[in-house]
Amino acid sequence: MQRWDWSVARAYLPTALALATAFLASLRVPAVQAGAMRAGPAADWDWAAYLLFALACLLGTAATLRLWRRRQTAGLLCRCGGLLGPEKMGRKGVRATVCRACGREWRRRA
């Protein structure tokens, strides 16, 4: 696999995990509905699969937009062509971001 393929796989990993969890939650809904105790926490399972599916859609859309911006070179890019992560405040008031492809750290003064 090339670097782009790994970037795509890592970008869509949270989406895949949310979809798998939504699928498992949807399998559990009939068992909860058939149970004798329908009040309390058991009633919340009806919406769990739908909420997890909506979360997976949001995560997938965000990953698609980030990868599309990378292809258009409009996003924050490293010299290697990888996507830069979110900025974090470091020591002595230095903001830093890390490339998700090569791991290089970019710093700038606040």
Side-chain angles (χ1 to χ4, degrees), residues 3-102:
R3 179 180 291 172
W4 174 253
D5 298 332
W6 283 112
S7 296
V8 170
R10 282 193 312 210
Y12 285 113
L13 182 64
T15 304
L17 291 175
L19 275 176
T21 308
F23 175 71
L24 293 175
S26 70
L27 292 178
R28 185 75 179 136
V29 167
V32 171
Q33 288 177 346
M37 292 184 55
R38 185 70 180 118
D44 296 337
W45 276 98
D46 291 346
W47 292 99
Y50 298 117
L51 292 175
L52 287 168
F53 182 73
L55 175 68
C57 289
L58 289 174
L59 290 172
T61 302
T64 301
L65 288 175
R66 288 188 68 216
L67 292 171
W68 178 74
R69 288 189 66 187
R70 178 181 173 186
R71 277 296 216 203
Q72 301 296 322
T73 64
L76 296 173
L77 298 177
C78 178
R79 288 183 196 153
C80 71
L83 291 170
L84 294 177
E87 279 190 352
K88 296 180 182 177
M89 191 61 87
R91 286 184 270 167
K92 300 179 184 176
V94 176
R95 289 186 171 191
T97 183
V98 177
C99 175
R100 295 186 182 202
C102 68

